[in-house]
Amino acid sequence: MANFSSDNQAAAHPAVLAALSLCNEGTAPAYGQDRWSEALTARMGGLFQCPVHVALTASGTAANALGLSLYTPSVGAIFCHEHAHIISDEYGAPGFFSGGGQMIGIGGQAGKITPEALAATLAASSQKMVKPAMLSLSMATENGTAYSVAELMALCDMAHAAGMGVHVDGARFANVAAALGGAQILPRCGVDVLSFGATKSGCINAEAVVVFHPAPGVAERMVLKSKQSGHSASKTRYQAAQFLAYLNDGLWLTLAGHANSMATLLAGWMQQAAGLSPLYPVQANMVFY
């Protein structure tokens, strides 16, 4: 029986399992000093075509909260869509990790924030409210849609002009990259930090925080925050080895492209067989009715 409920229930890819077996031989330095973790930073830099800092976590919630907390003070505000995963499904983790930062939801069709809506929210902020710190965008959104390059660039420009950083919740970033043509769109548009998910498309508890063009002190701050919050894994080689296999020869885009195609196929079949049209454009691996 076909299971269309969630990609969280899917199995790991054989190449990922093989990589885990290979890296399991012998001993290796701990806490990111192993050759797999070091190779992954170089690989990510090449993938995004810019300097990066990479921190590995076991969950998307940890990646989101840690990435946002790097730039959000205790009196800071994180603007996101009103249905964003960070505000509706993570029990206030970004606020907890940042020591009090608050999330402010913004409405928008199909899970997307518009520059006009962001401008209105910023204009409504008063001096005695929490200070704008970060804009968080889901790619793909919780409705399975994707920001275009033009939309992403406009939002990044507006956020930076307001003194904010930009975070992307990329739990399903592979699906967006497969649809839009690669990973480089994020740093080129002005995104500052990405929660790069791999668990939903072939890996096992492997997520990454990727900081683009990291400022001095960011790496040390990430180490401290990871340790303080209990997300500093000692045997990072197992997560890094998975990511290396996942990215090797474009496997991540192949898997995501296949999932996208199957979602489009399902939407077409439902339209033909039952006359049902999706509620939102099918731009990733999610279909809603």
Side-chain angles (χ1 to χ4, degrees):
M1 182 181 294
N3 184 339
F4 299 113
S5 58
S6 173
D7 45 18
N8 286 302
Q9 300 182 21
H13 192 273
V16 169
L17 296 177
L20 279 171
S21 180
L22 287 173
C23 84
N24 194 46
E25 297 179 2
T27 61
Y31 296 106
Q33 303 302 308
D34 58 274
R35 62 184 177 89
W36 294 271
S37 298
E38 292 175 350
L40 180 59
T41 295
R43 181 73 181 86
M44 288 284 198
L47 181 70
F48 292 101
Q49 297 184 2
C50 70
V52 299
H53 172 70
V54 180
L56 297 169
T57 73
S59 74
T61 295
N64 283 333
L66 282 169
L68 286 164
S69 71
L70 284 175
Y71 302 96
T72 306
S74 60
V75 294
I78 300 167
F79 295 98
C80 60
H81 192 273
E82 62 184 354
H83 299 308
H85 197 272
I86 62 169
I87 201 171
S88 63
D89 292 277
E90 295 185 346
Y91 290 93
F96 179 75
F97 276 53
S98 61
Q102 295 185 28
M103 290 174 284
I104 297 176
I106 302 174
Q109 294 295 315
K112 295 163 69 174
I113 297 171
T114 64
E116 294 77 14
L118 176 59
T121 303
L122 287 169
S125 300
S126 72
Q127 283 190 332
K128 294 185 179 180
M129 290 177 63
V130 285
K131 303 303 180 183
M134 289 293 287
L135 172 66
S136 180
L137 306 170
S138 299
M139 290 275 276
T141 72
E142 287 69 23
N143 296 127
T145 56
Y147 290 93
S148 68
V149 170
E151 290 171 329
L152 188 59
M153 190 172 295
L155 287 166
C156 287
D157 287 347
M158 181 173 293
H160 291 155
M164 293 190 292
V166 180
H167 162 263
V168 163
D169 180 348
R172 294 180 175 87
F173 175 63
N175 302 93
V176 173
L180 296 184
Q184 301 84 12
I185 59 170
L186 296 191
R188 287 178 182 173
C189 288
V191 172
D192 299 292
V193 58
L194 164 70
S195 301
F196 191 172
T199 303
K200 290 178 170 59
S201 55
C203 295
I204 306 169
N205 297 340
E207 310 283 318
V209 181
V210 184
V211 181
F212 306 122
H213 303 287
V218 165
E220 181 183 7
R221 196 155 71 246
M222 175 60 81
V223 170
L224 296 175
K225 283 182 171 290
S226 296
K227 191 68 173 179
Q228 184 185 52
S229 61
H231 287 282
S232 180
S234 61
K235 297 181 181 179
T236 50
R237 60 170 156 161
Y238 293 99
Q239 292 165 317
Q242 290 185 69
F243 259 107
L244 289 170
Y246 179 61
L247 298 174
N248 189 42
D249 292 330
L251 176 62
W252 70 298
L253 293 177
T254 299
L255 296 176
H258 174 72
N260 292 355
S261 297
M262 292 300 99
T264 301
L265 182 66
L266 176 62
W269 182 83
M270 290 291 285
Q271 177 71 53
Q272 184 176 17
L276 295 176
S277 297
L279 292 174
Y280 312 105
V282 180
Q283 296 177 305
N285 64 330
M286 294 180 278
V287 187
F288 293 90
Y289 292 98

